[in-house]
Amino acid sequence: MAHVLIVEDEEPLCLLLRYNLEAEGYSVDTCVRGDEAEIRLEERAPDLLLLDWMLPGLSGIELCRRIRARPQTKSLPIIMLTARGEENERIRGLSTGADDYVVKPFSVPELMARVRAILRRAKPEVVSSLLTAGDLELDRETHRVRRNGREVHLGPTEFRLLEYLMQSPGRVFTREQLLDGVWGHDVYVDERTVDVHVGRLRKAINRGRVPDPIRTVRGAGYAFNDQFAPT
Ligand code: CA
């Protein structure tokens, strides 16, 4: 499992990132100061660093420079988080040594995709592209889903929904959480849309008399049950 360190002094953003990364199965550590992060990095190098540009203690840029100068962390994957405005213009002109950067406010699903892409490139051993549960198999790389060896054809939203649910087996997601995680924050969709897509997803993966891995939790939302017994 990949370990991600978030260095971000905006607490709500930090929590949002932690929540989403954990939902994708990463182990997460957070830190609000640049100087504190430097000490943390010496203790334990993460597989990827999400680094804010403006930080108390030590700026993200300076920290990035120091990380690149240390042989132990020279090739640590770094994604910089920058605020819209001057800093953003400056960061473009600077060679920060970061692998990628995103401008706030950003779409969480997009950031998650970048995290995955960078990890896949830099640390293929810690990110597996295959999610499996019972006789169900989802390949993130090829976007293929199989049930009992047979290919299942899903639309892009159903695919993302299944991927999102399978990443956190057992966890109950509200419709709102699914909208944020699958459709993204800034998308305006009715919560009933979730039910429609869950319905389509179920129809596609549960052909014939097979157990349904998706559990409807009354008054709460949906969960993926990885203990479903395939016959
Ligand atoms: Ca900041």
Side-chain angles (χ1 to χ4, degrees):
M1 178 199 286
H3 180 64
V4 178
L5 175 64
I6 308 170
V7 190
E8 169 60 72
D9 59 327
E10 274 172 59
E11 214 166 318
L13 179 58
C14 201
L15 282 173
L16 176 77
L17 293 174
R18 176 193 270 271
Y19 176 87
N20 281 277
L21 286 164
E22 285 179 346
E24 296 223 0
Y26 299 104
S27 78
V28 180
D29 219 344
T30 62
C31 191
V32 295
R33 294 180 57 92
D35 45 1
E36 199 188 298
E38 193 179 23
I39 297 166
R40 203 77 73 80
L41 284 163
E42 274 168 33
E43 290 165 357
R44 180 190 183 184
D47 295 305
L48 183 132
L49 179 66
L50 286 182
L51 181 60
D52 184 28
W53 156 270
M54 297 289 271
L55 287 168
L58 181 69
S59 80
I61 282 297
E62 178 55 23
L63 182 57
C64 196
R65 203 189 57 75
R66 293 188 190 178
I67 288 169
R68 289 292 177 250
R70 273 181 72 216
Q72 303 93 307
T73 50
K74 195 166 86 246
S75 53
L76 171 69
I78 302 174
I79 300 179
M80 287 288 274
L81 311 174
T82 77
R84 216 177 275 282
E86 287 179 9
E87 296 87 0
N88 184 21
E89 293 311 310
R90 283 175 59 202
I91 198 173
R92 265 178 215 167
L94 277 171
S95 61
T96 59
D99 296 81
D100 202 354
Y101 73 91
V102 292
V103 180
K104 297 176 194 173
F106 48 78
S107 123
V108 173
E110 194 203 316
L111 177 63
M112 295 300 130
R114 292 205 198 182
V115 166
R116 268 201 303 278
I118 288 179
L119 278 174
R120 216 178 280 141
R121 207 165 60 218
K123 305 234 170 174
E125 70 283 4
V126 296
V127 274
S128 162
S129 72
L130 206 62
L131 291 173
T132 56
D135 58 357
L136 193 62
E137 208 177 86
L138 179 146
D139 191 329
R140 292 156 150 166
E141 211 135 354
T142 60
H143 273 235
R144 285 217 165 133
V145 175
R146 287 168 189 277
R147 179 130 198 208
N148 198 12
R150 260 195 222 150
E151 183 133 8
V152 176
H153 296 280
L154 296 179
T157 306
E158 283 73 35
F159 180 86
R160 282 202 305 275
L161 185 59
L162 180 62
E163 180 186 16
Y164 198 73
L165 288 168
M166 281 183 86
Q167 275 158 2
S168 307
R171 177 164 168 181
V172 179
F173 290 100
T174 64
R175 288 169 178 79
E176 199 188 340
Q177 286 168 338
L178 290 172
L179 280 179
D180 280 352
V182 176
W183 280 261
H185 268 301
D186 22 326
V187 182
Y188 229 77
V189 204
D190 194 275
E191 287 192 4
R192 272 168 301 181
T193 307
V194 175
D195 301 329
V196 172
H197 287 277
V198 168
R200 281 188 203 153
L201 175 59
R202 276 184 166 141
K203 208 171 155 200
I205 60 174
N206 302 329
R207 287 276 157 92
R209 293 172 142 249
V210 290
D212 184 5
I214 300 169
R215 195 160 61 93
T216 305
V217 185
R218 206 178 283 269
Y222 296 99
F224 184 81
N225 171 23
D226 67 341
Q227 302 298 305
F228 71 97
T231 44

